[in-house]
């Protein structure tokens, strides 16, 4: 886990946080956005809903804000996006995740504001939903908090639409109106996933990122006792200690079958004919810096005794044992097809 950050990954560069949703584009705040920030943050109808935006807004307010955004990103304490219309490019508002401590534990706070021209169009909901997806799925944060001033029911409805439920009333200091009543809320990863599950396909994220696709291939080897072979990722590698189906990367100009035959020889010391590979299922999983595509083949005939040629632990497991194994997130979706085969 990123030390004292309450997350497992933090982006290294602006291109890693750029993404599209069905109607929006979210990109790092930069110099070309200063005029928009200056004009919109100067409006009282925007500033009055925010605790940290002064009114009147100083002439250098946007430039000062950009400096803070860049410094906090470099310190790995904040990710900020400019939200724009995907079709027209029109700038609509700002949304961010900022690290702070609550109850002696690191949390990430979701905050946002939008130009009045963007109000009532579903922009805030769509952006917040996908920033939460970015936080929980890619950064793997533990907890996201947020809050609204008591007289801002529209913002409360936005947060409720994206899964926040329980509210605590307190008060916060604002730079323009002194201490004001406030509603605070929080959500964990488990609560977000439960929210997604309860919403069915209509509430699923549609987050598009420009990251490379990495193709790997894997095998489910079944023995005569209806067990399947799994390998443990060795120390020093990412996801060390987790159990996975053996296989590896598909090299340039290789077919999945050719790559798998090669990988099984290199990793396990066994020989497999292409005719013994039965396509079973595949996994498609988004990691922070790439998208993994992994076809899985079923095999029940091979030559040789599988042994870890690279020092990795191997074991044959039953259905019950397989269900309990800690596995990489990309392997978990493969389990239903493997269990049906056993």
């Amino acid at each position: 886990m990123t030390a004292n950050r309450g997350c497992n990954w933090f982006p290294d560069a602006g291109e890693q946080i750029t993404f599209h949703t069905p109607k929006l584009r979210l990109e790092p705040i930069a110099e070309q956005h200063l005029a928009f920030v200056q004009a919109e943050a100067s409006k009282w109808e925007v500033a009055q809903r925010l605790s940290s935006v002064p009114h009147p807004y100083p002439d250098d307010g946007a430039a000062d804000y950009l400096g803070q955004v860049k410094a906090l990103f470099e310190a790995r304490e904040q990710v900020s996006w400019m939200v724009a219309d995907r079709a027209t490019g029109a700038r609509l508002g700002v949304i961010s995740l900022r690290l702070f401590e609550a109850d002696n534990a690191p949390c990430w706070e979701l905050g946002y504001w939008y130009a009045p021209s963007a109000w009532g169009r579903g922009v805030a909901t769509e952006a917040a939903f996908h920033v939460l997806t970015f936080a929980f799925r890619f950064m793997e944060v533990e907890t996201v908090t947020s809050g609204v001033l008591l007289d801002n029911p529209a913002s409360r409805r936005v947060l409720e639409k994206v899964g926040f439920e329980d509210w605590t009333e307190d008060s916060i200091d604002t730079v323009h109106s002194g201490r004001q009543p406030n509603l605070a809320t929080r959500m964990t990863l488990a609560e977000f996933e439960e929210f997604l599950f309860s919403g069915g396909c209509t509430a699923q994220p549609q987050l598009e990122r420009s990251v490379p696709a990495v193709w790997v291939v894997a095998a489910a080897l079944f023995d005569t006792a209806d067990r399947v072979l799994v390998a443990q990722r060795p120390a020093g590698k990412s996801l060390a200690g987790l159990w996975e189906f053996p296989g590896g990367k598909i090299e340039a100009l290789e077919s999945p079958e050719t790559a798998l035959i090669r990988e099984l020889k290199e990793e396990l010391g066994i020989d497999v004919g292409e005719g013994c590979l039965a396509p079973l299922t595949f996994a498609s999983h988004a990691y922070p810096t790439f998208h993994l595509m992994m076809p899985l083949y079923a095999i029940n005939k091979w030559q040789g005794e599988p042994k870890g040629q690279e020092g990795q632990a191997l074991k044959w497991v039953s259905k019950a044992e397989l269900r309990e194994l800690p596995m990489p997130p990309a392997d978990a979706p493969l389990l239903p097809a493997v269990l049906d085969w056993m």
Side-chain angles (χ1 to χ4, degrees):
M1 176 167 290
T2 302
N4 301 319
R5 290 295 189 265
C7 66
N8 281 331
W9 175 78
F10 191 90
D12 295 317
E15 57 266 24
Q16 293 181 343
I17 72 170
T18 300
F19 63 85
H20 291 88
T21 71
K23 296 180 181 179
L24 305 173
R25 171 181 169 84
L26 280 77
E27 62 186 5
I29 297 175
E31 282 76 8
Q32 63 265 33
H33 305 132
L34 288 180
F36 171 84
V37 172
Q38 186 69 38
E40 299 302 329
S42 296
K43 297 176 179 177
W44 173 239
E45 59 262 50
V46 173
Q48 68 177 322
R49 308 299 186 192
L50 305 170
S51 63
S52 59
V53 175
H55 189 81
Y57 199 56
D59 292 340
D60 60 350
D64 183 59
Y65 171 69
L66 177 60
Q68 294 176 37
V69 165
K70 289 183 175 180
L72 288 168
F73 184 79
E74 289 295 323
R76 307 174 81 81
E77 294 179 359
Q78 182 168 307
V79 185
S80 299
W81 292 266
M82 173 59 60
V83 182
D85 185 286
R86 181 170 183 170
T88 68
R91 288 152 190 166
L92 303 172
V94 170
I95 190 167
S96 65
L97 291 165
R98 183 168 182 174
L99 177 68
F100 78 108
E101 191 171 282
D103 300 327
N104 298 316
C107 295
W108 289 82
E109 182 179 44
L110 174 70
Y112 52 84
W113 62 263
Y114 293 93
S117 60
W119 296 355
R121 295 165 46 187
V123 171
T125 301
E126 183 169 324
F129 180 54
H130 288 89
V131 167
L132 285 172
T133 301
F134 187 93
F136 285 125
R137 295 250 176 112
F138 298 119
M139 295 175 66
E140 297 184 21
V141 305
E142 298 171 345
T143 305
V144 175
T145 68
S146 194
V148 298
L149 293 176
L150 191 60
D151 63 351
N152 190 5
S155 192
R156 175 175 177 170
R157 287 195 296 272
V158 166
L159 294 174
E160 289 174 340
K161 288 178 183 178
V162 299
F164 289 97
E165 291 184 338
D166 298 324
W167 299 87
T168 301
E169 187 169 346
D170 56 14
S171 60
I172 59 172
D173 290 317
T174 69
V175 295
H176 48 70
S177 302
R179 198 150 188 88
Q180 295 292 313
N182 181 71
L183 292 171
T185 185
R186 64 172 53 207
M187 180 163 44
T188 64
L189 170 59
E191 290 168 337
F192 184 65
E193 293 295 343
E194 183 180 352
F195 169 73
L196 293 181
F197 181 78
S198 66
C201 293
T202 59
Q204 297 307 301
Q206 300 178 59
L207 192 156
E208 303 169 24
R209 304 171 68 226
S210 296
V211 294
V214 175
W215 283 83
V216 301
V217 62
L221 280 77
F222 299 98
D223 68 5
T224 55
D226 283 333
R227 299 179 302 174
V228 68
L229 186 69
V230 290
Q232 189 174 40
R233 294 186 64 82
K237 285 192 174 183
S238 62
L239 306 174
L242 300 184
W243 294 87
E244 64 185 358
F245 299 109
K249 190 173 181 179
I250 302 174
E251 301 294 347
L253 305 181
E254 273 190 321
S255 69
E257 293 82 4
T258 300
L260 185 56
I261 291 169
R262 173 183 54 76
E263 286 285 348
L264 293 177
K265 182 67 172 179
E266 293 173 357
E267 286 192 14
L268 305 181
I270 62 173
D271 295 301
V272 182
E274 186 168 332
C276 296
L277 306 180
L280 184 57
T281 186
F282 77 97
S284 173
H285 184 80
Y287 283 100
T289 57
F290 64 94
H291 194 101
L292 184 75
M293 299 294 295
M294 180 167 57
L296 179 73
Y297 290 80
I299 304 173
N300 55 23
K301 290 183 180 179
W302 60 87
Q303 291 184 341
E305 182 68 24
K307 295 180 180 179
Q309 303 296 305
E310 300 172 348
Q312 73 275 35
L314 302 176
K315 65 179 177 180
W316 294 94
V317 295
S318 66
K319 272 188 175 185
E321 292 169 327
L322 182 61
R323 289 190 181 99
E324 300 301 319
L325 281 180
M327 304 186 82
D331 283 62
L334 305 173
L335 290 186
V338 173
L339 293 168
D340 283 347
W341 186 280
M342 296 174 75

